[in-house]
Amino acid sequence: MLRGINVGGQKIIKMKSLRASFEALRLGRVRTYVQSGNVIFEASKTSPDNLSGKIREEILSDYGFSVPLILRTSGEMEKIVSDNPFLEERGIDRSRLHVSFLSTLPAEAGLRKLDALDALPDRFSVKGREVYLHCPNGYGRTKLSNNALEKLLSAEATTRNWKTVIALVGMSSE
């Protein structure tokens, strides 16, 4: 998942071109979902850090800018879906659910800062490298934005709505 492309007329990348960039790295079955930097692909066994570095270099070379990048395997995505604590709540509006994906595990000090944040009516739950969000007034109004999470948790973050998360899991299992 790439953060911050095709938003507000900045860092524009056409998905056909983005797929070609991933294919140039010899990644297999490259697919994209919507225009916001969701890329599903197959890769040979390699470390996520190594693969992430190669993708960042390719994007910088091809488009002249760098973007934050978060990788998850299909198995990790399936677990993320099954671990969403808000799904246990009766009558939850799934259109108000989001997941913020972090580049690293947050440190305890960062988690304490996040816990101290008054984000109501929004709620969150941190599990591993994911922050599950319930934003009843919409994500656009939350204090739990990518920028806020990055500052508090000292990790890169990118957020996807629940519909996108479910679509990515479906596409990764095809």
Side-chain angles (χ1 to χ4, degrees):
M1 293 167 274
L2 308 177
R3 176 173 171 212
I5 66 164
N6 300 334
V7 178
Q10 302 283 335
K11 297 185 176 180
I12 303 299
I13 303 177
K14 297 207 179 291
M15 294 301 99
K16 182 178 181 180
S17 177
L18 183 60
R19 287 189 298 272
S21 294
F22 275 66
E23 289 165 350
L25 292 169
R26 294 193 168 105
L27 299 171
R29 297 192 62 228
V30 179
R31 287 122 35 228
T32 55
Y33 177 73
V34 299
Q35 299 293 312
S36 57
N38 301 298
V39 185
I40 298 95
F41 58 89
E42 292 178 356
S44 60
K45 299 275 185 197
T46 185
S47 79
D49 289 340
N50 186 28
L51 183 56
S52 180
K54 287 180 180 180
I55 294 169
R56 287 176 198 259
E57 288 172 14
E58 186 74 19
I59 290 171
L60 181 59
S61 172
D62 290 351
Y63 307 103
F65 53 80
S66 61
V67 294
L69 166 74
I70 308 287
L71 295 178
R72 295 294 186 269
T73 67
S74 59
E76 287 171 327
M77 291 296 290
E78 289 171 4
K79 182 160 177 37
I80 288 163
V81 167
S82 68
D83 282 353
N84 189 332
F86 296 114
L87 295 178
E88 298 170 6
E89 295 181 17
R90 189 173 204 163
I92 193 81
D93 182 353
R94 291 178 182 216
S95 72
R96 301 301 183 177
L97 298 179
H98 297 78
V99 179
S100 294
F101 299 87
L102 305 176
S103 58
T104 61
L105 281 171
E108 285 299 318
L111 292 172
R112 284 193 296 276
K113 289 179 196 176
L114 181 59
D115 284 338
L117 180 68
D118 179 11
L120 292 174
D122 301 330
R123 298 177 297 144
F124 66 90
S125 177
V126 180
K127 290 189 176 187
R129 297 180 295 163
E130 278 65 50
V131 181
Y132 295 89
L133 305 172
H134 175 245
C135 303
N137 295 329
Y139 182 76
R141 303 180 127 187
T142 189
K143 292 179 182 176
L144 300 167
S145 67
N146 286 324
N147 290 337
L149 292 175
E150 287 178 340
K151 184 176 179 182
L152 292 167
L153 301 176
S154 300
E156 290 181 333
T158 189
T159 301
R160 299 297 187 269
N161 64 42
W162 193 244
K163 179 181 176 184
T164 296
V165 172
I166 295 299
L168 295 176
V169 168
M171 289 176 72
S172 71
S173 64
E174 294 176 347

